[in-house]
Amino acid sequence: MSEKKWRTAISTHIGHEAYVRGYNLTDLVGRISFPEAIYLVLKGELPTEKEAKMLDAIFVSVIEHSIAPPSVIAARAVASGGNSLNVGVGAGVLAFGEAHGGALEGSMKFFQENADKDPKEVAKWAVENKIRIPGYGHRYYKEYDPRTKRMMDMAKEIGFYGKYCDFALKLEDAIAELKGKRLILNVDGAIAAIASEMGFDWRLGKGFFIIGRVPGLVAHVYEELTTEKPFAKRLDEEKEVEYLGPEPRELPER
Ligand SMILES: CC(C)(COP(=O)(O)OP(=O)(O)OC[C@H]1O[C@@H](n2cnc3c(N)ncnc32)[C@H](O)[C@@H]1OP(=O)(O)O)[C@@H](O)C(=O)NCCC(=O)NCCS
């Protein structure tokens, strides 16, 4: 290994030309799609047509999901404080966590470590030990997550429905059988299973959500900055806040 302090296999400059994973950047422009370019930077090789189609579907499936999630609230609230687009979008990205987008990483790790086991045994272990399995459950969807169904249908159509997808859905059934109620495989779980089929390392999990959702955050922050007044995201304390502290009281003599 070289003695140089900074090392990368992703890109380099030769003279005035930039090379990404060995390909001249100007050759890539106009010849490959954005999802293909993302696959190239993440994996180091150009995707097949099927891989590009699957990755494209993954990004589209997470691009936006209403004004309600914590990341959009954070992004718009920070922008409404008088900050620029990048600050608002950055705040939104910081709101991604285990319960919102970040589940992808844990879910990929879980599938990559458990998919060779019997789903019924894994379900029994998870229920008995009250394990919160990343990629399962949803605040609103209780019967099924429509995005999961679409992603699984696409995985079948394109040819990425293998052992991870099969395990993920069998685990959902096994948990339902044990608990008597369905804990749905959410879109993060579906993407985690499909990304595992595509050979991605679980440590890239959160990256899929970041790459896919940032356009939605940019749109929200832009909308906030151009259509709302600064400070518009102040709460109406009377309507929206329940105060739980002590009644006003005298400061004791000190
Ligand atoms: C997303 C999430 C926060 C939704 O929560 P919720 O619908 O409000 O569910 P609750 O936290 O009220 O839990 C309801 C019940 O389901 C169980 N449960 C919820 N998610 C579970 C999971 N992923 N694994 C195991 N059990 C889970 C809870 O333990 C609880 O069980 P109980 O009724 O026996 O006490 C929750 O399901 C979760 O943390 N999932 C894992 C993270 C994840 O995948 N996030 C991405 C969402 S797109």
Side-chain angles (χ1 to χ4, degrees), residues 103 131-133 135-139 142 181 183 186 188:
I131 305 287
R132 193 164 276 244
I133 314 164
Y136 289 84
H138 197 275
R139 185 110 313 156
K142 298 296 175 192
K181 70 176 178 193
L183 185 64
N186 60 45
D188 286 9

Side-chain angles (χ1 to χ4, degrees), residues 65 97-104 107 126-127 130-142 145 147 175 179 181-189 209 213:
H65 205 219
E98 293 311 312
H100 174 38
L104 254 167
S107 190
V127 170
K130 296 194 185 316
I131 305 287
R132 193 164 276 244
I133 314 164
Y136 289 84
H138 197 275
R139 185 110 313 156
Y140 305 116
Y141 300 132
K142 298 296 175 192
D145 183 334
R147 299 165 302 172
I175 294 173
K179 288 191 83 163
K181 70 176 178 193
R182 195 154 279 276
L183 185 64
I184 60 117
L185 177 70
N186 60 45
V187 71
D188 286 9
F209 195 76
R213 186 56 70 86

Side-chain angles (χ1 to χ4, degrees), residues 44-58:
E45 294 299 334
L46 287 167
T48 62
E49 209 178 305
K50 286 179 173 199
E51 284 164 338
K53 198 170 174 198
M54 198 69 248
L55 197 63
D56 193 21
I58 288 176

Side-chain angles (χ1 to χ4, degrees), residues 92-111:
V93 172
L94 289 176
F96 296 158
E98 293 311 312
H100 174 38
L104 254 167
E105 180 181 306
S107 190
M108 281 175 79
K109 184 169 192 284
F110 185 82
F111 292 145

